[in-house]
Amino acid sequence: MATPTSTSLLKMENIPNKGRGLIATQDLKAGQIILTESPLLLYSASPLFTPAPSPYCHHCFRTLNPSQTFSCPSCSNYNFCSQKCLSIALNSSHSPWTCQTLSHLQNPTSPLLEKPSEVQVQARFIVAAYNIAIHTPSIIQTILSLHGDPNDHDSIVDNAKFLHSLISPFCPPNMNFSAELAAKLIAKERLNSFCLMEPYSPKGPQRSIKAYVIYHKATFFNHDCIPNACRFDYVENGEPGDEHNTDIVIRLIKDVDVGSEICISYFRINKDYLTRKRILMEDYGFSCACDRCKIEANWNDGENNSDLPHVIFLSKFVCDKENCAGTLAPLPPKDGEKSNVLECNFCGNLKVDSSP
């Protein structure tokens, strides 16, 4: 697990045609950790109605050991990997209010039963957000300050009205919750959340999402299809109850000069141009104008492009392990010397970089 990193390496600026972004305040080395940050909000990606219980701790999202689980004393749907995780959750993410509300929403007569899984997961999010608003209002204000507007997305407004109508009867009377607030929160989550993925398996299916997370500073990294940084998480590492296992770690792929913008990719970098274009428009509402996209938009079938800088970049920094295609980044420098060992942010594989 990486140790927390000073944010003095970064500053926020308005980037032309991009909005807010993060800029290097000094020359930085490949492999350097430039940000480590804990979640503002974390919640399960499982629909409320599933045929099998979640195999992950509902606090730290480590894989549960079937022979040693700790259940919520008030409900049977939520399990934890340790007594410590259970105790922390009962005083935070799985408070008595959350437990009661989720139990009502998961009642066999609940209107959510007939709703798509997306709406069931949004219900989890609204409960998690309202719970934070009850106990730590400043965090909700931080989330509301992030980018995202529900006005252009009618489905968000409709879902928010429906979900608020189900959840509001259980809300404390002194809280000014509303369908409008729910819509704003869903819009913020849509554009600012990161995914915690299931453990990698070389023979298994593509990894599914086990939890969604909102971080504060990390959300300001803009996208680039040839990024100079990538994210790591170490959910399965550390001891049960270690609250930092869901921290996000941003590490540089290559050297970055002072004043340069630091960008990550919002998905695995080996995707083709049309797929990238579709995902960015559908999920994030913008078209990418990076150098790679400008080149690939005009590619001809059968054209040999092996000598282009971004093709060389992909051949070096895309993991070739079976069922992976994650992004490789050097291990952190030691004693000022850059490492020639690359780590995959998807499967954790280590590879010696033999290129000059």
Side-chain angles (χ1 to χ4, degrees):
M1 172 60 61
T3 55
T5 304
S6 170
T7 56
S8 62
L9 302 176
L10 309 168
K11 66 178 178 179
M12 191 180 300
E13 289 188 1
N14 284 317
I15 311 296
N17 302 316
K18 287 186 174 183
R20 291 176 290 185
L22 296 175
I23 305 296
T25 61
Q26 58 187 269
D27 292 339
L28 302 170
K29 294 182 180 293
Q32 191 167 347
I33 294 173
I34 55 172
L35 181 69
T36 300
E37 187 176 25
S38 297
L40 291 173
L41 186 151
L42 171 66
Y43 70 100
S44 172
S46 298
L48 283 171
F49 294 93
T50 55
S54 171
Y56 306 110
C57 173
H58 273 273
H59 175 67
C60 72
F61 289 94
R62 291 181 178 87
T63 302
L64 290 168
N65 179 349
S67 64
Q68 188 176 18
T69 61
F70 299 79
S71 298
C72 170
S74 300
C75 67
S76 59
N77 296 321
Y78 296 88
N79 297 310
F80 302 86
C81 67
S82 65
Q83 184 62 52
K84 184 176 182 181
C85 270
L86 172 59
S87 298
I88 295 171
L90 292 178
N91 289 291
S92 56
S93 60
H94 197 69
S95 68
W97 178 83
T98 301
C99 180
Q100 178 193 32
T101 305
L102 288 174
S103 295
H104 281 286
L105 293 178
Q106 290 176 290
N107 188 291
T109 62
S110 170
L112 274 169
L113 180 62
E114 303 301 324
K115 291 292 184 178
S117 59
E118 175 189 3
V119 179
Q120 295 182 29
V121 175
Q122 286 178 343
R124 284 195 187 275
F125 166 68
I126 293 298
V127 171
Y130 282 7
N131 180 63
I132 288 180
I134 293 169
H135 295 96
T136 318
S138 61
I139 293 180
I140 285 299
Q141 293 307 312
T142 298
I143 293 173
L144 289 172
S145 72
L146 302 177
H147 179 62
D149 187 344
N151 294 334
D152 296 329
H153 305 285
D154 291 339
S155 64
I156 287 179
V157 174
D158 292 342
N159 289 350
K161 290 178 179 178
F162 169 72
L163 293 172
H164 180 73
S165 70
L166 294 184
I167 297 169
S168 58
F170 310 107
C171 295
N174 63 320
M175 301 302 296
N176 294 320
F177 295 148
S178 65
E180 291 75 18
L181 173 63
K184 288 180 181 179
L185 289 167
I186 292 173
K188 304 299 181 184
E189 193 277 342
R190 177 179 178 268
L191 293 182
N192 297 284
S193 63
F194 290 80
C195 304
L196 295 182
M197 306 299 292
E198 293 182 339
Y200 164 78
S201 172
K203 301 295 184 182
Q206 289 292 318
R207 296 166 73 191
S208 297
I209 301 167
K210 61 180 176 180
Y212 293 104
V213 199
I214 298 178
Y215 302 95
H216 184 199
K217 192 142 192 172
T219 193
F220 292 108
F221 286 107
N222 285 318
H223 167 83
D224 198 291
C225 296
I226 292 295
N228 51 20
C230 63
R231 63 165 289 199
F232 286 81
D233 56 61
Y234 300 95
V235 176
E236 299 291 342
N237 292 30
E239 295 297 321
D242 172 15
E243 290 197 83
H244 291 291
N245 77 304
T246 54
D247 288 1
I248 191 172
V249 178
I250 305 295
R251 190 192 304 170
L252 293 180
I253 299 171
K254 54 186 179 180
D255 293 349
V256 172
D257 295 332
V258 61
S260 298
E261 184 183 9
I262 298 175
C263 295
I264 62 175
S265 175
Y266 293 170
F267 37 73
R268 282 181 285 183
I269 60 177
N270 69 326
K271 296 185 181 297
D272 63 82
Y273 170 72
L274 291 178
T275 300
R276 301 197 311 273
K277 182 178 180 180
R278 176 181 56 78
I279 293 173
L280 290 172
M281 182 54 66
E282 290 180 358
D283 293 352
Y284 301 98
F286 71 90
S287 295
C288 183
C290 73
D291 292 341
R292 178 184 173 190
C293 284
K294 291 176 181 176
I295 293 172
E296 292 187 3
N298 298 304
W299 271 8
N300 297 316
D301 291 340
E303 187 176 351
N304 185 354
N305 302 291
S306 60
D307 59 343
L308 289 174
H310 80 263
V311 176
I312 296 171
F313 177 94
L314 293 171
S315 67
K316 178 175 179 177
F317 292 110
V318 173
C319 181
D320 58 5
K321 199 169 181 180
E322 184 179 3
N323 200 35
C324 182
T327 303
L328 298 163
L331 293 177
K334 290 185 178 179
D335 301 322
E337 295 295 323
K338 290 188 289 187
S339 174
N340 69 338
V341 177
L342 305 177
E343 180 185 9
C344 177
N345 71 342
F346 207 66
C347 71
N349 187 40
L350 297 177
K351 175 183 176 182
V352 175
D353 177 17
S354 57
S355 61

